[in-house]
């Protein structure tokens, strides 16, 4: 291993990190180097992203400290029984790479995770050391996301939060039974215990900053987690239920969903095929419904089909509306914000504009059309001063009329 160059290590450890989906840098504290002090910024563009072969957008520098691991999680390419090339960075090497990429404007910060070497505490200390050197020795003001190890001493995880913008602990699988079967070295209780401790630290730090302006920040971009979808038999209902419980219990900023990718040299207990990527997308849409559209988890679950999974051909909001047609049409000139947010095809921004416009005048169908991407999708569910859908909302073939053509699955519409 000692003969590997930094570039060879980077090749192995950047590739090994691509399976982690939780790399967004949203919601952090504003920090920049304007005024000639420090280096880096959490704002602005010039960020280099790369697309992995499976189509996932990954940002540089997203790497593992090492892909050696003493654990044997079946779904993981880095598990101890996996026959892959191994590498290990020193903390200083990660620091040097981060600064070099940052200065070239390739990256907006660092996403650092690791396999477990020697012990959880030792690995966590190494991760913290990277962040410490960047912040304390180089006054690095860019974004740092540290993946933390639930089995590590809470005091070391606490240190991570003092340097990082965001910390995350992966729950890995939606059910405890799935975790026991596929990650035998991990414990659901330990993972949730660690998340609970991070939540307590977040609350305490926020409270302290209210009282003392200079109290240390703790992970200002909060904590997040990731769930693997499709590696076990958990349904979308199970996943939505778990996500909602995690949001409620641990003050999570985000739950990321990662469609299971078959890995080289896969364990025999794993499915041979990956789930369709659109399933991951439908779960993100359901997550938005709960976070921004006022849906209760039980309502998102109502949108699932008999097998407990969300339909793939239509989005969960449309699926819910088609099941509960008696709630429609809603009058765009009189309906509450909550009712308008239930209309398929109306996003949060469009609803805001409708509410603002209707203070000044009565809206017509054309006015709504100007605020949406597709009035065809909206029309069956609304009425305006010049439009009433008559029998359209009750048509038996409404789903097929509104479902996007297969080749046009709308990947980016809320
Ligand atoms: S602990 Fe992490 S790196 Fe190690 S096998 Fe499990 S998922 Fe992979």
């Amino acid at each position: 291993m000692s003969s590997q160059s930094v570039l060879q290590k980077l090749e192995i450890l950047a590739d090994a990190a691509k399976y982690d989906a939780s790399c967004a840098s949203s919601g952090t504290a504003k920090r920049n180097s304007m005024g000639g002090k420090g280096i880096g910024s959490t704002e602005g563009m010039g960020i280099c992203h790369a697309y992995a072969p499976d189509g996932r957008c990954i940002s540089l520098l997203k790497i593992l400290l090492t892909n050696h691991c003493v654990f044997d999680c079946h779904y993981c390419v880095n598990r101890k029984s996996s026959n892959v090339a191994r590498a290990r960075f020193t903390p200083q090497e990660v620091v040097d790479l981060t600064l070099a990429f940052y200065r070239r404007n390739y990256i907006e910060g660092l996403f650092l995770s690791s396999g477990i070497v020697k012990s959880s505490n030792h690995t966590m200390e190494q991760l913290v050391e990277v962040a410490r050197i960047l912040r304390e020795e180089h006054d690095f003001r860019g974004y740092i996301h540290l993946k933390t190890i639930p089995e590590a001493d809470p005091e070391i995880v606490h240190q991570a939060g003092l340097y990082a913008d965001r910390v995350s602990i992966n729950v890995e699988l939606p059910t405890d039974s799935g975790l026991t079967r596929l990650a035998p070295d991990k414990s659901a209780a330990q993972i949730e215990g660690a998340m609970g401790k991070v939540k307590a630290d977040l609350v305490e730090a926020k409270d302290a900053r209210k009282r003392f302006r200079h109290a240390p920040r703790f992970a200002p971009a909060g904590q997040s987690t990731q769930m693997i979808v499709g590696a076990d038999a958990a349904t979308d209902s199970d996943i939505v239920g778990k996500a909602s419980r995690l949001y409620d219990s641990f003050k999570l900023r985000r739950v990321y969903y990662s469609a299971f990718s078959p890995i080289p040299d896969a364990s025999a207990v794993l499915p041979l095929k990956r789930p369709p990527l659109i399933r991951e997308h439908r779960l993100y849409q359901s997550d938005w419904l709960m976070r921004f559209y006022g849906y209760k988890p039980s309502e998102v679950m109502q949108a699932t089909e008999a097998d407990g999974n969300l339909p793939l051909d239509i989005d969960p909001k449309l699926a819910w509306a088609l099941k509960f047609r008696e709630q429609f049409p809603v009058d765009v000139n009189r309906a509450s914000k909550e009712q308008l947010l239930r209309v398929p095809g109306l996003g949060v921004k469009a609803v805001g504009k409708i509410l603002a416009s209707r203070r000044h005048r009565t809206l017509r169908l054309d006015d709504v059309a100007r605020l949406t991407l597709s009035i065809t999708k909206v029309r069956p569910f609304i009425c305006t001063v010049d439009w009433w859908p008559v029998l359209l909302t009750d048509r038996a073939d409404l789903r097929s009329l509104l479902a996007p053509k297969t080749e046009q699955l709308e990947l980016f519409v809320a």
Side-chain angles (χ1 to χ4, degrees):
M1 192 181 76
S2 55
S3 61
Q4 284 174 324
S5 69
V6 169
L7 207 63
Q8 286 166 326
K9 294 182 192 180
L10 183 61
E11 204 174 314
I12 294 169
L13 294 173
D15 188 64
K18 76 184 177 198
Y19 296 97
D20 208 312
S22 47
C23 57
S25 62
S26 56
T28 187
K30 288 188 176 172
R31 204 188 295 118
N32 66 56
S33 53
M34 276 169 68
K37 288 190 183 159
I39 175 173
S41 166
T42 55
E43 306 164 60
M45 301 301 288
I47 301 158
C48 182
H49 289 91
Y51 287 92
D54 60 1
R56 198 185 306 282
C57 179
I58 54 174
S59 62
L60 297 174
L61 182 60
K62 177 181 174 186
I63 50 171
L64 301 187
L65 188 67
T66 178
N67 66 342
H68 288 274
C69 192
V70 294
F71 281 15
D72 208 27
C73 309
H74 288 285
Y75 49 82
C76 178
V77 72
N78 304 316
R79 69 191 189 282
K80 94 178 151 194
S81 59
S82 175
N83 181 24
V84 290
R86 306 278 178 177
R88 183 173 173 182
F89 280 128
T90 63
Q92 190 59 51
E93 283 171 334
V94 176
V95 168
D96 293 343
L97 278 170
T98 306
L99 294 176
F101 282 142
Y102 212 115
R103 288 194 172 107
R104 291 184 173 95
N105 206 22
Y106 291 169
I107 56 165
E108 67 160 343
L110 172 67
F111 174 95
L112 186 62
S113 182
S114 184
I116 299 169
V117 270
K118 289 191 190 165
S119 69
S120 301
N121 281 351
H122 172 77
T123 311
M124 198 64 235
E125 278 164 2
Q126 300 268 297
L127 292 169
V128 171
E129 180 62 1
V130 172
R132 188 200 65 76
I133 300 174
L134 279 168
R135 293 284 194 236
E136 290 188 355
E137 296 182 16
H138 298 278
D139 200 9
F140 181 74
R141 299 178 185 204
Y143 179 83
I144 299 179
H145 179 160
L146 289 184
K147 190 116 285 192
T148 60
I149 298 168
E151 296 78 17
D153 190 311
E155 187 42 42
I156 313 174
V157 176
H158 179 79
Q159 290 294 316
L162 294 178
Y163 295 117
D165 293 274
R166 174 169 286 179
V167 291
S168 56
I169 301 168
N170 284 354
V171 291
E172 310 288 12
L173 290 150
T175 61
D176 291 359
S177 56
L179 189 76
T180 310
R181 196 167 71 89
L182 297 180
D185 303 302
K186 297 195 174 188
S187 136
Q190 206 157 27
I191 291 170
E192 295 203 4
M195 288 171 124
K197 175 70 176 65
V198 170
K199 177 196 167 185
D201 288 345
L202 284 165
V203 172
E204 199 178 308
K206 204 169 168 190
D207 195 45
R209 280 185 71 85
K210 275 188 202 147
R211 286 178 287 129
F212 312 105
R213 235 181 95 227
H214 296 293
R217 285 179 184 279
F218 182 88
Q223 68 166 327
S224 61
T225 193
Q226 173 180 314
M227 258 189 274
I228 301 166
V229 175
D232 64 355
T235 64
D236 291 346
S237 267
D238 296 329
I239 295 168
V240 166
K242 175 86 175 190
S244 131
R245 200 171 59 73
L246 293 173
Y247 277 123
D248 288 350
S249 309
F250 303 115
K251 257 177 116 23
L252 293 186
R253 281 288 177 89
R254 290 292 304 271
V255 175
Y256 291 91
Y257 307 96
S258 176
F260 159 73
S261 311
I263 48 174
D265 195 24
S267 155
V269 300
L270 291 174
L272 293 173
K273 268 177 63 183
R274 66 175 305 152
L277 262 184
I278 191 74
R279 182 177 174 198
E280 180 185 293
H281 179 64
R282 295 299 180 218
L283 284 165
Y284 277 116
Q285 288 179 316
S286 71
D287 201 273
W288 283 20
L289 292 186
M290 292 189 285
R291 291 161 61 219
F292 304 118
Y293 287 78
Y295 286 72
K296 294 190 192 107
S298 56
E299 290 176 313
V300 174
M301 289 177 198
Q302 287 169 337
T304 59
E305 304 197 305
D307 63 358
N309 289 322
L310 293 165
L312 298 178
D313 61 331
I314 55 173
D315 65 73
K317 192 177 177 190
L318 177 58
W320 187 88
L322 288 170
K323 275 194 178 175
F324 296 94
R325 296 186 194 199
E326 72 281 2
Q327 311 268 345
F328 301 96
V330 303
D331 182 344
V332 290
N333 287 298
R334 306 166 80 101
S336 65
K337 181 179 175 188
E338 291 69 31
Q339 288 172 310
L340 289 171
L341 284 171
R342 301 262 159 163
V343 175
L346 285 187
V348 175
K349 270 192 193 162
V351 168
K353 284 182 186 162
I354 287 172
L355 293 173
S357 315
R358 77 183 191 187
R359 277 194 220 118
H360 309 291
R361 63 202 167 92
T362 307
L363 299 179
R364 307 173 74 82
L365 189 63
D366 277 356
D367 298 320
V368 181
R370 277 191 284 276
L371 299 174
T372 63
L373 287 179
S374 163
I375 192 64
T376 315
K377 188 172 176 184
V378 178
R379 235 172 12 177
F381 302 101
I382 60 165
C383 52
T384 61
V385 69
D386 61 338
W387 165 257
W388 187 272
V390 200
L391 295 177
L392 184 56
T393 318
D394 295 324
R395 275 178 65 157
D397 61 348
L398 187 57
R399 177 179 178 142
S400 58
L401 286 178
L402 298 179
K405 302 284 169 276
T406 322
E407 64 277 13
Q408 293 176 341
L409 280 177
E410 21 78 275
L411 283 169
F412 302 106
V413 179

